Amino acid sequence: MRHRPATVPHKPGSERNRYLAFAFCWGDVLFELDRHYAISYVSSTCEAVLGCGSDTLIGLDFRDVVAPVDRLVIEPWLKRLPEVGRAMIETITLSGPGAAPLWVSLAANCLDSEEGTIHIALQRRDTGAHAIKTPTLDPASRLADCTSFVDRVAERIKRGHAAGMAPELTLVVMPDLHDLRQRLGAGQDGMLEAVGTALKARSIEEDMAARIGDDTFSLLHEAGAPIDQLIRQLEAITRAADPAGIGLTIDASTLAIDTVMVAEVDLALALTHTLRRFGAASGTDLRTMANNLRSAFQNSVITVGSIKRAINEQSFTVVFQPIVQINTGRIHHFEALCRFEAQDQESPFTTIQVAEELGLIAAFDLAMVRKVIAWVRGANGWVTRVRLGQQANDRAGGGNEEIVADTGQVGRRRALT
C-alpha cells in the first residue's frame, strides 16, 4: 500500500478553498488529496463510516483505499479531475486498512488545476441494493446467470464511459453445444467450467461473464480485446473434451454501446430483453441473431422505450368485453382489455409478455386501472366500481388501496376487472 507525506501547499486561501469545497455538502466523509492523490485531510467521521481513523488514512494514496475491483475506474477518473473541474461516481467500493468493503458514491472537484488539490465527498449507498446485485451462478460453468449479469453490466458500462474507458459486450454462441454435451455425458461439466474460466479471464476484472442460455454466453471486456484469440481458445477446449476430437465451431459478435442515448435503467432493460432473446433462441435463428447483434439491441431499446411511454403517457386504449351470466343472459361485469396504439388491431400479448419479463408489468397494471377509473368517472353514473383481478392485485402490490380509493361511489354497482 502506497504511503507518502501529503504535499498540499498551504498558500493563502487554501483553507477557504477547503471550506468552499465542503460547505453544505451531502457527504458522510470528506477527503482532501494532493496532486499525487495522497490523502492530506479526512473528516473525523471516517472512523464511524469507513471503520478506520484519520491517523490511519492520512498519507495513504487514495487509490489504495478503493477496492481492487474498482481501481481501473478510479485512476482515470482522478486524472481527469484537474481538466474537467468536477465529477461524480455513482457507485464504487472502498476498502480502508482493516475495514470491511463499503459501497459508496463519490463527488469531487479540483478548484485549481495547477495546484492539483482534489476534494472528495463520500456518501454511503444502500448495502441491501448492492447485495441484490451479487450474481447467481450457473452450477456447470460457474458463470453468472442472465438476470444477475445484466444489472452489473449496465452499471459497469455507465461507469466505464464516465471514466473514459468504454467497455464492449460480446456474445459467444455455441449452436451445437447440446450435441457435444450428449457425447460427453458426465464429463460435460468439466468442459463447461473450463469454458467459464476462459471467458472470465478475458472479461473486465475477470468477473464480468455470464451464461445466458443453454448454448449462449456473454462477457463485458475492454474495447479492442482480442476476441478472436478467445474464440480459438474456446474451440480448442471443446476439441480436447470431445471424444471424437471434433469440438465446436463458435461464433461471436461484439457490441459497443452509446450510453449517451440510453438511460441507465433503460440500458439494463434493453440488455435484459436482448440477452434473453438470444438465450431462448437456437440453431439457425441463433446464428442469424448473433450476426445482427447491434440491430437486435437497437430493437430492444425501441421496445423498452415504447412500453415505458405507454405506461407514462397512457398511450393505449381500453376496450370492454362484457362477461355474461349464462343462466340469465345478463351482463355480470366487463373485462377491460388494452390495445396499444402502435399495434392497431394486433393482439397486445407479445408486448404484455415483454413487460412481464422486464418487471414493468406492475407499473402497466396501475396505468391500466387508472385509465379505466377515468372512464368510469365519465360513464354518466351507470358504472360504480372497479375491481382488480387477483393476478393484477398480486402484481400491483401495495398500490391497490390507492386505486380503490380513486373510484368513488357513483350510480348502480357493476364490476370491471
Side-chain angles (χ1 to χ4, degrees):
M1 185 167 289
R2 293 164 282 198
H3 197 292
R4 63 167 66 92
T7 57
V8 176
H10 290 285
K11 64 181 184 180
S14 62
E15 293 298 326
R16 178 200 62 202
N17 287 347
R18 178 183 292 171
Y19 173 79
L20 291 174
F22 291 158
F24 314 111
C25 172
W26 55 234
D28 297 315
V29 181
L30 310 174
F31 289 92
E32 184 178 79
L33 315 183
D34 68 14
R35 64 184 309 109
H36 304 293
Y37 314 136
I39 300 171
S40 58
Y41 169 85
V42 59
S43 63
S44 59
T45 54
C46 63
E47 187 157 13
V49 176
L50 300 178
C52 49
S54 57
D55 292 343
T56 305
L57 293 170
I58 288 178
L60 289 181
D61 189 305
F62 184 77
R63 291 168 292 185
D64 290 333
V65 182
V66 175
V69 69
D70 283 327
R71 285 178 190 165
L72 287 176
V73 173
I74 196 68
E75 182 129 13
W77 185 76
L78 289 170
K79 286 182 178 178
R80 289 176 62 241
L81 271 168
E83 177 185 348
V84 300
R86 65 184 64 188
M88 186 170 183
I89 293 181
E90 186 175 349
T91 53
I92 200 165
T93 307
L94 295 193
S95 183
L102 182 68
W103 205 39
V104 301
S105 295
L106 300 180
N109 67 32
C110 182
L111 299 176
D112 187 332
S113 59
E114 292 185 6
E115 178 185 301
T117 301
I118 294 173
H119 300 103
I120 296 178
L122 171 157
Q123 186 181 59
R124 287 170 292 191
R125 295 295 304 271
D126 179 12
T127 55
H130 184 52
I132 292 172
K133 296 178 183 288
T134 301
T136 303
L137 298 182
D138 167 56
S141 65
R142 307 302 297 165
L143 294 175
D145 64 11
C146 183
T147 301
S148 59
F149 179 62
V150 289
D151 284 338
R152 297 167 63 233
V153 164
E155 180 185 356
R156 191 58 57 88
I157 287 174
K158 284 287 185 179
R159 288 161 61 186
H161 274 270
M165 300 173 61
E168 294 176 336
L169 184 75
T170 288
L171 187 76
V172 177
V173 179
M174 303 182 180
D176 301 316
L177 180 59
H178 175 74
D179 293 339
L180 176 57
R181 290 174 62 191
Q182 286 189 322
R183 294 199 298 272
L184 289 175
Q188 63 178 279
D189 286 350
M191 182 202 68
L192 288 172
E193 187 170 352
V195 167
T197 299
L199 289 169
K200 284 192 290 187
R202 296 283 185 171
S203 71
I204 287 179
E205 295 153 10
E206 300 185 6
D207 188 39
M208 295 298 294
R211 186 179 186 184
I212 62 173
D214 287 344
D215 45 14
T216 317
F217 303 81
S218 186
L219 70 154
L220 189 72
H221 54 83
E222 295 179 2
I227 297 302
D228 288 347
Q229 294 179 16
L230 171 62
I231 297 307
R232 288 195 295 271
Q233 180 185 2
L234 295 175
E235 289 178 339
I237 290 172
T238 62
R239 279 196 304 273
D242 189 350
I246 300 172
L248 300 176
T249 299
I250 298 174
D251 298 326
S253 182
T254 298
L255 174 68
I257 298 173
D258 182 3
T259 60
V260 174
M261 303 301 294
V262 188
E264 183 168 352
V265 62
D266 291 348
L267 176 58
L269 293 172
L271 286 171
T272 299
H273 185 245
T274 302
L275 294 181
R276 283 184 174 172
R277 286 179 64 202
F278 278 102
S282 61
T284 304
D285 289 342
L286 183 56
R287 288 187 185 274
T288 301
M289 291 174 66
N291 292 330
N292 295 278
L293 178 57
R294 171 163 293 280
S295 175
F297 175 73
Q298 290 172 341
N299 288 338
S300 293
V301 171
I302 293 170
T303 298
V304 169
S306 65
I307 293 174
K308 293 187 73 175
R309 279 192 300 275
I311 293 170
N312 296 333
E313 301 172 11
Q314 294 192 9
S315 56
F316 56 88
T317 57
V318 179
V319 296
F320 296 93
Q321 171 69 44
I323 305 301
V324 178
Q325 197 168 34
I326 295 177
N327 293 337
T328 64
R330 294 180 179 179
I331 296 174
H332 180 266
H333 66 276
F334 289 90
E335 183 176 4
L337 307 172
C338 75
R339 292 292 182 268
F340 293 101
E341 294 175 358
Q343 295 179 337
D344 297 324
Q345 299 303 312
E346 294 181 17
S347 168
F349 173 77
T350 301
T351 303
I352 295 297
Q353 186 179 44
V354 172
E356 290 178 338
E357 291 175 354
L358 299 179
L360 297 174
I361 195 62
F364 176 76
D365 281 344
L366 296 181
M368 177 75 174
V369 172
R370 289 192 174 97
K371 191 151 190 171
V372 173
I373 288 170
W375 183 86
V376 168
R377 286 176 169 169
N380 298 323
W382 69 278
V383 176
T384 68
R385 186 174 178 82
V386 172
R387 175 166 55 85
L388 285 176
Q390 185 60 47
Q391 186 178 14
N393 272 324
D394 292 341
R395 287 197 298 244
N400 299 330
E401 293 181 2
E402 174 190 353
I403 293 173
V404 173
D406 280 347
T407 62
Q409 295 289 331
V410 189
R412 294 185 301 146
R413 299 189 63 183
R414 189 162 296 189
L416 290 171
T417 58

